[in-house]
Amino acid sequence: MGASYASPVAWPARAVVTAGMPYGNKPLHFGHIGGVFVPADAYARFLRDRIGADAVRFVSGTDCYGSPINEGFRRAVEQDGFTGTIADYVMANHERQAATLEAFNVSLDIFEGSGIGAAGEVHQQVTDAFIERLHANGWLKLDSTLQFYDVQAGTFLNGRQVQGRCPVQGCKSSQAYADECELGHQYAPADLIAPHSTLTGDVPEMRPVENWYFDLPAFAGFLRGYVDGLRDDPEVRPLVPQTIAEFLAPPVIFIKNDQREAYEALAASLPPYELREPEKGKQSFEVEFGTIDERDEARAVLAQAGIRFRTGKTLVPFRITGNIEWGVKAPVIDGVEGLTVWCWPESLWAPISFTIAVNDERGLPREAWLDFWCSDDAKVYQFIGQDNLYFYGVAQPALWQGLQPGGLFGTVDCAERPLRQTRLVANHHVLFGKAKASSSGAVKPPTGEQLLEHYTVEQLRAHFLALGLDQKSVGFSPKPFEADEAKRNDPRVSDPVLKEGALLTNVFNRLARSVLYEAAKTCGGCVPLGAPDAAAVQRTHEALAEYERLMHKVELHSVMSLMDEFIRYAQKLWADGIKDAGGDEAARAAVLRTSAYLLWACALMMHPIVPAGCELICEYLDFEPERFFGWGHGFCALDELCDADEVVAGSHAVQELPPRFDFFEKHPSQFK
């Protein structure tokens, strides 16, 4: 039957796929779903088909802690009359998130949370182990820093209860919080420009508090080597090393030119520095320091003199603990008690907690997580938004490196089996029209539930995966949410979301129906077996190979383009072949044999993208899903899916398809 298909790429023996952690203060909007969860789900589904379901862990959960949750709970109580506890508030949002993910066919192996269920208990253990190991290795420092305090409210303010303008040079964000802005820039709280309390509107005071900090600047050399490796890897999206490298710049202070005289008066009292004059047209000159401590010493001198300045992106100590009550408990170290863990560091190791929790559910030994996170033949794929690259691409690699030597739970020597650095699959923003969508911003995006009032899940999944977010930020412009009422109601204005859906509801539907109706009509409810058309087999092998290459690079929009072309090819081969065959039963059987083979290939490759419809095709073709969607075949003929007696008989019986059946339906609202 010809040469068997051979994969052009190598796949890991085991894999973890993550999809970040949505905060437990809100439902999921389309950016969460289309920008992270659906791409991650498609990849996890592909890996299950490719290397086996038991070899894949697809994990996520609600981020139960952190200042956004505290602030959301406060508003829910004060503005919406919520009467439960903060734990009740988080659980209500978690359950809504879980329902949305289920509605979008997101096939997580676990979706609990950093403080929910068995996963929450495991997460506390993992958190203790991480922090204790980092401290034992000398990478944690107890430091007294200034935190915002609202005198009128009589309380320290958590990160989201303070707002101002970002102090990082070049950033124009006016939605900046205590120590990070909406774009992920990190800075000292004292540098926040024009801070005000969201509780009272007052300008808060700065009062000292003690917390543990991870010595991130000490890993500058390691991170530079890490970035060089990412640049040399053609399968890493350029956005990843570009963004990480921005934080590896030396510590710099930017001072406006009109402050030059005041600066000169105290320049001699600053730590050693290098002065760079402003480039033509620039409004600031630069003062570069050798270390972050020297920069911070200079900041204090400049601030005391009333000189306005901004800081540049650089590595700063990474906060590990915080002082709010609602959080994962920090272990008691050196007698320091009563601290909780800042939500960002614990969310970085939460996927390990979730992996362990899944393995516990499956009755595996506790140390089985090492086979997924530490083995040379395993890989971790983390799907994230570009705003989070500082945490996943800068802080996380350094934290992982900081565990060496030693290990977690005393089960592994990290010098021999270290945590593997992850493959960061960073997407650009999904815009709502032309604006960045954010639940906390001025542009309120539609939730997942609202989208499902106008589109089917599979229409949306196909559209989200075709957006090309690995290349640039892309607008999502669903017609039912068009602000211009005239355009919204004009039947002549097409809905861009339905472009990929048309491939499903028209072309793919016709191919699947044609094969099954023809089997019932001329072949007694069977598809004939044997060798398909040789040219069709070659074309299929080429498509399978290109599909694998694109999946290996996680170019999901290119996968969609490939499948658009291949499904249309398969449908045209059917239409042209059956027309030419006319009433010749042998010729029609030959076309059916080849088209059933092509339908298998189409369903196999589309399964990660639109699983429900493809599984219906498998059901009506009457094959076992594990065999039908597996990649352990030569892909030379449909015979490879059949039992020996069927191959001898030369036919495979299929299920009877009801009249006018749709494998991929339109949404009821689209019939007008």
Side-chain angles (χ1 to χ4, degrees):
M1 289 188 179
S4 294
Y5 170 74
S7 176
V9 295
W11 295 101
R14 286 167 302 282
V16 177
V17 179
T18 78
M21 294 178 68
Y23 277 128
N25 64 334
K26 56 192 171 185
L28 300 176
H29 66 65
F30 77 86
H32 299 123
I33 298 163
V36 178
F37 275 104
V38 167
D41 180 70
Y43 208 70
R45 286 179 179 274
F46 164 72
L47 287 173
R48 289 189 189 113
D49 290 345
R50 190 67 186 80
I51 66 175
D54 288 341
V56 178
R57 300 290 184 268
F58 180 25
V59 301
S60 181
T62 299
D63 195 341
C64 299
Y65 301 111
S67 56
I69 285 84
N70 291 69
E71 182 65 3
F73 174 65
R74 181 186 69 82
R75 292 179 179 177
V77 171
E78 294 179 1
Q79 300 175 14
D80 303 329
F82 186 80
T83 58
T85 66
I86 191 169
D88 296 332
Y89 169 75
V90 170
M91 182 57 73
N93 285 313
H94 166 76
E95 290 174 349
R96 187 174 176 185
Q97 292 171 356
T100 299
L101 293 172
E102 183 177 0
F104 275 84
N105 287 339
V106 175
S107 58
L108 287 154
D109 292 303
I110 187 172
F111 187 74
E112 287 191 3
S114 50
I116 296 173
E121 297 174 7
V122 172
H123 188 54
Q124 181 66 67
Q125 298 167 14
V126 173
T127 296
D128 290 345
F130 251 92
I131 294 176
E132 289 167 354
R133 173 52 53 192
L134 292 172
H135 179 264
N137 286 352
W139 298 120
L140 296 190
K141 177 184 178 182
L142 189 65
D143 199 5
S144 178
T145 58
L146 297 175
Q147 184 170 326
F148 291 105
Y149 184 86
D150 189 319
V151 176
Q152 180 180 331
T155 183
F156 281 103
L157 301 174
N158 65 52
R160 293 298 174 105
Q161 290 174 335
V162 184
Q163 290 192 5
R165 300 199 310 275
C166 181
V168 173
Q169 177 71 9
C171 181
K172 300 184 184 303
S173 173
S174 60
Q175 191 165 322
Y177 307 109
D179 53 8
E180 68 169 315
C181 77
E182 61 179 337
L183 300 179
H185 299 149
Q186 303 291 299
Y187 43 82
D191 290 343
L192 181 65
I193 299 172
H196 66 273
S197 167
T198 62
L199 299 183
T200 63
D202 291 352
V203 176
E205 292 182 355
M206 302 298 294
R207 296 189 179 183
V209 294
E210 280 194 328
N211 276 298
W212 290 105
Y213 286 80
F214 173 67
D215 190 3
L216 186 57
F219 290 84
F222 163 75
L223 289 169
R224 289 190 182 97
Y226 173 62
V227 168
D228 288 343
L230 295 177
R231 288 195 184 104
D232 292 340
D233 188 340
E235 295 197 347
V236 173
R237 296 175 179 179
L239 172 69
V240 175
Q242 288 171 6
T243 303
I244 297 173
E246 292 175 4
F247 293 95
L248 303 183
V252 173
I253 288 176
F254 298 85
I255 303 175
K256 287 290 186 72
N257 296 335
D258 61 11
Q259 301 276 298
R260 184 62 176 261
E261 185 176 346
Y263 159 77
E264 295 285 0
L266 53 74
S269 63
L270 297 178
Y273 64 86
E274 179 181 343
L275 175 67
R276 281 199 290 273
E277 298 294 344
E279 298 178 2
K280 184 177 181 180
K282 295 289 185 180
Q283 298 180 352
S284 301
F285 60 94
E286 302 176 14
V287 186
E288 179 182 316
F289 299 90
T291 69
I292 189 66
D293 289 339
E294 290 173 341
R295 190 203 71 172
D296 287 347
E297 183 181 340
R299 284 176 47 247
V301 174
L302 295 171
Q304 182 68 29
I307 295 176
R308 299 188 307 276
F309 60 87
R310 302 190 90 173
T311 53
K313 296 180 186 178
T314 192
L315 295 179
V316 299
F318 187 63
R319 183 159 62 93
I320 297 296
T321 62
N323 305 88
I324 61 175
E325 182 178 352
W326 181 248
V328 177
K329 304 302 179 185
V332 177
I333 298 177
D334 292 348
V336 180
E337 299 182 275
L339 298 179
T340 53
V341 184
W342 185 35
C343 64
W344 261 114
E346 51 97 351
S347 71
L348 295 177
W349 54 70
I352 297 175
S353 307
F354 296 150
T355 303
I356 294 172
V358 171
N359 289 345
D360 286 350
E361 288 179 1
R362 299 184 182 187
L364 298 175
R366 176 55 62 92
E367 60 270 18
W369 73 274
L370 298 166
D371 294 331
F372 288 88
W373 284 88
C374 301
S375 293
D376 290 340
D377 58 357
K379 197 146 193 170
V380 179
Y381 304 86
Q382 293 194 284
F383 285 73
I384 61 174
Q386 68 179 79
D387 288 354
N388 293 332
L389 269 169
Y390 170 79
F391 299 103
Y392 289 95
V394 179
Q396 179 182 283
L399 286 168
W400 272 212
Q401 188 71 8
L403 294 175
Q404 302 182 50
L408 301 178
F409 312 116
T411 57
V412 61
D413 182 347
C414 284
E416 298 177 2
R417 241 182 141 187
L419 278 173
R420 297 182 62 77
Q421 296 298 342
T422 57
R423 170 81 178 274
L424 298 179
V425 186
N427 279 338
H428 290 266
H429 296 301
V430 187
L431 306 178
F432 186 36
K434 296 181 179 180
K436 180 186 175 184
S438 171
S439 298
S440 57
V443 179
K444 300 299 182 185
T447 64
E449 297 101 313
Q450 289 171 324
L451 289 176
L452 293 177
E453 294 173 2
H454 303 277
Y455 304 98
T456 68
V457 169
E458 302 211 317
Q459 287 173 331
L460 288 166
R461 286 178 64 101
H463 182 66
F464 285 140
L465 293 173
L467 287 176
L469 295 172
D470 61 315
Q471 303 290 316
K472 60 182 180 179
S473 294
V474 181
F476 174 65
S477 303
K479 188 178 177 183
F481 296 89
E482 167 64 55
D484 187 327
E485 185 177 358
K487 290 183 179 179
R488 188 168 65 245
N489 297 322
D490 189 343
R492 296 169 298 178
V493 176
S494 62
D495 187 340
V497 178
L498 296 179
K499 177 179 180 292
E500 293 76 23
L503 175 71
L504 304 175
T505 57
N506 295 338
V507 188
F508 202 4
N509 252 342
R510 286 202 304 272
L511 175 63
R513 285 192 301 232
S514 297
V515 166
L516 286 155
Y517 287 145
E518 181 68 17
K521 178 181 177 182
T522 63
C523 295
C526 296
V527 292
L529 301 180
D533 175 74
V537 172
Q538 181 179 348
R539 179 72 178 268
T540 299
H541 285 194
E542 292 169 355
L544 290 168
E546 181 63 9
Y547 180 94
E548 285 206 81
R549 281 189 286 265
L550 294 172
M551 278 293 191
H552 206 262
K553 295 189 289 185
V554 201
E555 289 187 6
L556 300 179
H557 74 287
S558 298
V559 168
M560 286 299 301
S561 297
L562 171 71
M563 293 314 301
D564 185 283
E565 180 182 351
F566 187 72
I567 292 171
R568 293 182 189 279
Y569 155 77
Q571 168 58 22
K572 187 174 188 303
L573 185 145
W574 159 264
D576 291 348
I578 211 70
K579 179 181 178 182
D580 292 343
D584 185 331
E585 291 188 4
R588 294 181 75 91
V591 174
L592 178 59
R593 178 186 301 112
T594 295
S595 294
Y597 165 80
L598 290 173
L599 178 59
W600 170 32
C602 291
L604 169 73
M605 289 186 278
M606 287 296 286
H607 183 230
I609 299 162
V610 283
C614 293
E615 287 165 11
L616 267 180
I617 291 172
C618 173
E619 179 183 338
Y620 276 96
L621 285 175
D622 205 15
F623 288 113
E624 289 294 326
E626 292 79 8
R627 187 183 295 185
F628 188 82
F629 294 116
W631 283 72
H633 305 288
F635 295 108
C636 294
L638 205 61
D639 306 41
E640 297 166 36
L641 300 176
C642 299
D643 297 332
D645 57 343
E646 291 181 313
V647 174
V648 171
S651 65
H652 167 74
V654 298
Q655 300 290 332
E656 182 179 357
L657 191 66
R660 296 180 296 278
F661 186 84
D662 283 323
F663 292 95
F664 303 96
E665 297 180 333
K666 293 183 178 181
H667 192 274
S669 67
Q670 295 162 13
F671 293 95
K672 294 182 179 179

